[in-house]
Amino acid sequence: QVQLVQSGAEVKKPGASVKVSCKASGYTFSSNTISWVRQAPGQGLEWMGWISGYNGNTYYAQELQGRLTMTTDTSTSTAYMELRSLRSDDTAVYYCARERYDSSFEYWGQGTLVTVSS
Amino acid sequence: EIVLTQSPGTLSLSPGERATLSCRASQSVSGSYLAWYQQKPGQAPRLLIYGASSRATGIPDRFSGSGSGTDFTLTISRLEPEDFAVYYCQQYGSSPRTFGQGTRLEIK
C-alpha cells in the first residue's frame, strides 16, 4: 500500500532553516509528483509547491520563492522540503502529498509540525 | 492565481440531514480539475472527490460532487456522525494549485 512517512517535529529559531523529509513506499517513486502543503495552527491549507518524482522539476508558490527548495533522492524514494530564513508565521504543520495522474492529492503524509520561536 | 471562495463558513446540521457546500472560483477551472477534501482534527486531509464529480477510492456514495466552470458543489446526502469535519475545495488545473478557505460542518 502507498505510504508517505514524514520526519519528526522541529523547533527552530527565527532566521534558521528547516528540512523536512517524506519517504515514499508502495509505488514507483518516479511515476508521481509530490506536492507540499502547510497548515498554520487553526488555519486552512496552503499549497507550497510541487516536485516531479520523474525529473526533479519544481514549481513553487510565488510568495515562497527564494526561501523554498524541494528536492528528491530517487535512490531512497524520498522527497525533501527545505525552507530558509524562517519567521514566526512559518509555524505550521507541513504535509507532503502524492499527486494522482490528474494531479489531485490522493495520498498524504502524517504531517510534520515546525515551530518557529525565539 | 485562481481564488476559491467556499460558503458557508460554518454549516450546522443534524445527522441524517443533507449538506450542501459551495465552492466558487475567481476564473474558470481548467478541465474541471476541482477536488474536495475532508479534514478531521489532528489528521491529514482525505481526498473525497476529484475531477469535480468522481469519488475517490473507498468514499461512500453519500458524497457527491457537481459543477463546472466557476461553480462547484459538494453534497452529502445523509449525514453520518463521522462526516462532521472541515471540507476544502482545491483547483489543480493550473499552478499555483489553490485551496478554498474551508467549510466547517458541525453538529447542530
Side-chain angles (χ1 to χ4, degrees):
Chain A
Q1 72 284 18
V2 174
Q3 281 195 305
L4 301 174
V5 179
Q6 299 183 222
S7 50
E10 303 262 14
V11 179
K12 297 292 183 181
K13 293 193 183 302
S17 299
V18 69
K19 191 170 186 177
V20 178
S21 67
C22 170
K23 183 171 176 58
S25 61
Y27 74 99
T28 302
F29 183 76
S30 60
S31 295
N32 296 82
T33 294
I34 295 284
S35 264
W36 289 86
V37 175
R38 69 179 180 177
Q39 186 170 38
Q43 303 301 309
L45 302 172
E46 178 188 8
W47 180 78
M48 300 175 67
W50 56 253
I51 182 166
S52 167
Y54 175 68
N55 57 17
N57 286 353
T58 56
Y59 186 106
Y60 302 146
Q62 186 173 12
E63 59 270 25
L64 294 173
Q65 284 183 8
R67 295 201 297 138
L68 178 62
T69 301
M70 295 179 185
T71 56
T72 59
D73 180 345
T74 55
S75 69
T76 60
S77 300
T78 302
Y80 297 91
M81 183 284 300
E82 181 179 30
L83 190 61
R84 299 176 294 278
S85 302
L86 289 169
R87 311 185 292 242
S88 57
D89 61 358
D90 292 318
T91 294
V93 176
Y94 289 74
Y95 294 102
C96 60
R98 192 198 85 164
E99 297 192 2
R100 282 164 37 94
Y101 64 90
D102 67 336
S103 300
S104 57
F105 299 177
E106 185 174 24
Y107 293 97
W108 294 69
Q110 82 276 18
T112 297
L113 174 62
V114 176
T115 303
V116 183
S117 174
S118 55
Chain B
E1 172 176 326
I2 297 177
V3 176
L4 299 179
T5 302
Q6 294 186 238
S7 61
T10 302
L11 186 57
S12 300
L13 293 170
S14 300
E17 290 192 293
R18 180 185 187 91
T20 303
L21 287 67
S22 174
C23 177
R24 178 161 290 178
S26 60
Q27 56 189 279
S28 185
V29 175
S30 171
S32 291
Y33 287 143
L34 192 286
W36 290 92
Y37 299 86
Q38 176 194 68
Q39 188 179 33
K40 297 180 180 179
Q43 297 184 16
R46 177 173 71 145
L47 177 65
L48 299 175
I49 301 288
Y50 63 92
S53 60
S54 297
R55 274 188 300 277
T57 303
I59 302 304
D61 61 7
R62 64 179 180 274
F63 291 91
S64 63
S66 62
S68 63
T70 61
D71 287 292
F72 300 87
T73 300
L74 174 70
T75 301
I76 311 171
S77 58
R78 294 172 308 280
L79 285 166
E80 297 287 343
E82 62 267 27
D83 298 337
F84 292 91
V86 180
Y87 292 83
Y88 296 94
C89 60
Q90 180 213 21
Q91 70 79 24
Y92 53 94
S94 61
S95 288
R97 317 206 197 298
T98 48
F99 289 93
Q101 83 280 16
T103 290
R104 179 178 302 277
L105 179 56
E106 63 176 27
I107 299 176
K108 187 172 182 180

